[in-house]
Amino acid sequence: MEWVQTIRSFTTAVQEGSLSGAGRLLGLSPASISRHIASLEGRLQTQLLKRSSRSLALTEAGEIYYSQVEQVLQQLEEANRSVTQLQ
């Protein structure tokens, strides 16, 4: 499920607006978040984020990807809650 962590790093960075904010929420270093995002971009062969020292901005591809994977992560969390409630 490493791919889920990679996608979660990306979505959290977008939501927080920074790699350090995402790292704090996920208990990872900003460098780890950056590596996850770079790995994801490499796999997709496209840039998802425009990074500067002070901000993150979604590219057009990043906007499309974010909107779709955010829904998938929410569905996974709901599935986990549903199963957990059975016990």
Side-chain angles (χ1 to χ4, degrees):
M1 292 277 254
E2 181 181 313
W3 61 272
V4 174
Q5 181 62 42
T6 301
I7 293 170
R8 185 162 281 133
S9 292
F10 167 69
T11 59
T12 305
V14 170
Q15 292 162 353
E16 291 297 306
S18 72
L19 301 178
S20 58
R24 277 191 298 277
L25 278 178
L26 298 175
L28 299 169
S29 70
S32 292
I33 300 294
S34 182
R35 280 192 298 274
H36 286 173
I37 294 170
S39 170
L40 182 59
E41 291 174 326
R43 221 175 316 150
L44 297 172
Q45 298 182 347
T46 192
Q47 185 179 4
L48 299 172
L49 292 172
K50 296 175 194 171
R51 300 170 187 81
S52 75
S53 60
R54 295 186 181 262
S55 68
L56 296 176
L58 287 166
T59 62
E60 183 179 356
E63 288 179 25
I64 293 166
Y65 192 74
Y66 174 79
S67 69
Q68 293 182 17
V69 297
E70 179 60 22
Q71 292 173 13
V72 170
L73 288 176
Q74 289 175 5
Q75 290 172 343
L76 284 172
E77 289 174 14
E78 180 60 33
N80 288 343
R81 276 192 298 273
S82 295
V83 170
T84 303
Q85 290 175 356
L86 293 175
Q87 298 183 12

